Amino acid sequence: MRITKVTTKTGDSGQTGLGNGERISKNSIRIHAMGSIDKLNSFIGWARIETDEELSKSLECIQQDLFNLGGELAVPDVEMNLLTEERLTWLERNIEAINDDLPPLTEFILPGGSEGCARIHIARAECRDSERIVVALGELEAIPQLHKTYLNRLSDYLFIVARKLKLDLGKKEISWSYKK
């Protein structure tokens, strides 16, 4: 399905169409999940502005994955297989490779450090929100396990990417200083 017209006026009553032609409330959990994935994709696009070419290309591939995931959510009860296990494996390999170069964590760290690091952390936080909404959808309707696993792994990836960016800038991580 491709967009041929942006303004259709068919959603003015609070309903929207899914890829299978079904009309549902714009307040449904499925639409919330799709919207959160879209927002996550936008945050990643925003974060890409502050990255080098290699990381930008990786994040662009992730944006494509998120469109695939959102596309599958938009067509319930159809196995489209747009998001693949290979993309999950790619994420896991990259997490391991990047994490191997990072000092071990002994405490929670505060997000931030630079514009780029902060943007990645914002994307990571939105990824966690997307994951929660997709999990909630999965409690009501059947969705592929891959969607939940991919989002969980993506938030890990974004976390270590933010740590790596901060390390590359020579900035110190600030630990959470909890009060007892």
Side-chain angles (χ1 to χ4, degrees):
M1 180 169 155
R2 297 288 180 225
I3 296 172
T4 56
K5 188 175 179 185
V6 174
T7 303
T8 63
K9 300 180 184 177
T10 59
D12 291 351
S13 66
Q15 298 279 309
T16 192
L18 296 175
N20 63 1
E22 181 184 355
R23 306 282 305 166
I24 64 172
S25 170
K26 289 183 177 184
N27 193 36
S28 77
I29 189 74
R30 180 172 297 277
I31 299 305
H32 281 281
M34 291 165 53
S36 186
I37 297 296
D38 184 36
K39 186 168 30 167
L40 169 58
N41 205 333
S42 297
F43 281 137
I44 289 173
W46 184 51
R48 285 181 58 204
I49 296 167
E50 292 290 321
T51 64
D52 63 28
E53 187 175 341
E54 181 181 355
L55 179 55
S56 180
K57 286 183 183 202
S58 293
L59 293 173
E60 181 182 339
C61 289
I62 289 166
Q63 287 184 287
Q64 295 289 345
D65 292 342
L66 292 172
F67 259 99
N68 287 335
L69 195 159
E72 289 180 349
L73 290 176
V75 188
D77 303 325
V78 175
E79 265 191 59
M80 300 173 72
N81 300 313
L82 298 175
L83 182 64
T84 64
E85 288 285 341
E86 290 78 20
R87 294 300 301 151
L88 177 61
T89 301
W90 177 89
L91 265 183
E92 290 171 341
R93 278 195 316 262
N94 278 273
I95 289 168
E96 288 177 25
I98 297 167
N99 205 40
D100 284 347
D101 295 336
L102 297 174
L105 279 176
T106 57
E107 190 55 76
F108 290 103
I109 59 170
L110 301 182
S114 73
E115 181 75 25
C117 294
R119 289 180 187 194
I120 294 289
H121 276 295
I122 290 168
R124 174 196 51 79
E126 183 60 34
C127 187
R128 286 287 187 210
D129 196 41
S130 296
E131 179 187 8
R132 286 188 295 274
I133 296 169
V134 168
V135 165
L137 174 61
E139 291 172 354
L140 300 174
E141 302 177 34
I143 60 163
Q145 177 61 40
L146 179 59
H147 293 173
K148 294 180 273 188
T149 304
Y150 182 89
L151 290 169
N152 185 276
R153 216 63 84 243
L154 178 57
S155 64
D156 295 340
Y157 172 83
L158 294 168
F159 178 74
I160 61 150
V161 163
R163 289 192 70 210
K164 172 96 169 72
L165 288 174
K166 195 169 194 176
L167 180 70
D168 289 349
L169 291 170
K171 297 198 178 241
K172 185 178 181 273
E173 291 180 321
I174 301 169
S175 295
W176 170 37
S177 175
Y178 54 91
K179 307 282 187 218
K180 289 187 178 184

